[in-house]
Amino acid sequence: RCANCHTLEAANAIAVVGPSLDQLRPNKELVLDAIENGRARGNGQMAGGLYTGEDAEDVANFVAKAVGSTEQPGGSASESGGG
C-alpha cells in the first residue's frame, strides 16, 4: 500500500503523492505514528490504520532499516552499516 504514494528505493517504489521515505528517513516510531494516526499535509492525505499490530511493526521496521534510521526513543539517530 505504501508504494501507491511513497518513494522507497528498497521496495522499488516510486510515487509522488506522499513524501519520499528515502529523503525523509523516518525512524520506526515516526512510521508507526503515521500508520496509526495518518497524515494530512502535503499533496495528499494518508488514512490512519492502514496496518495494525504485527503488520504495522513489520512495515515500520522495514522502512526504518531501509532508510538507515535506527533512532531509539530518547536517543540519537544512527545510520546502519548495511543489511
Side-chain angles (χ1 to χ4, degrees):
R1 296 179 204 172
C2 306
N4 291 333
C5 297
H6 296 285
T7 294
L8 182 61
E9 183 177 345
N12 295 319
I14 300 172
V16 296
V17 176
S20 166
L21 299 176
D22 294 312
Q23 292 177 358
L24 185 62
R25 298 186 67 231
N27 62 35
K28 178 182 175 181
E29 289 73 25
L30 183 60
V31 176
L32 282 172
D33 183 71
I35 290 170
E36 180 179 331
N37 299 310
R39 292 289 188 267
R41 50 177 201 214
N43 295 331
Q45 183 168 353
M46 179 177 158
L50 293 175
Y51 294 99
T52 59
E54 192 173 326
D55 289 338
E57 289 282 334
D58 289 346
V59 169
N61 283 326
F62 176 79
V63 171
K65 183 176 180 181
V67 300
S69 181
T70 56
E71 182 177 329
Q72 298 299 316
S76 60
S78 65
E79 293 186 16
S80 73

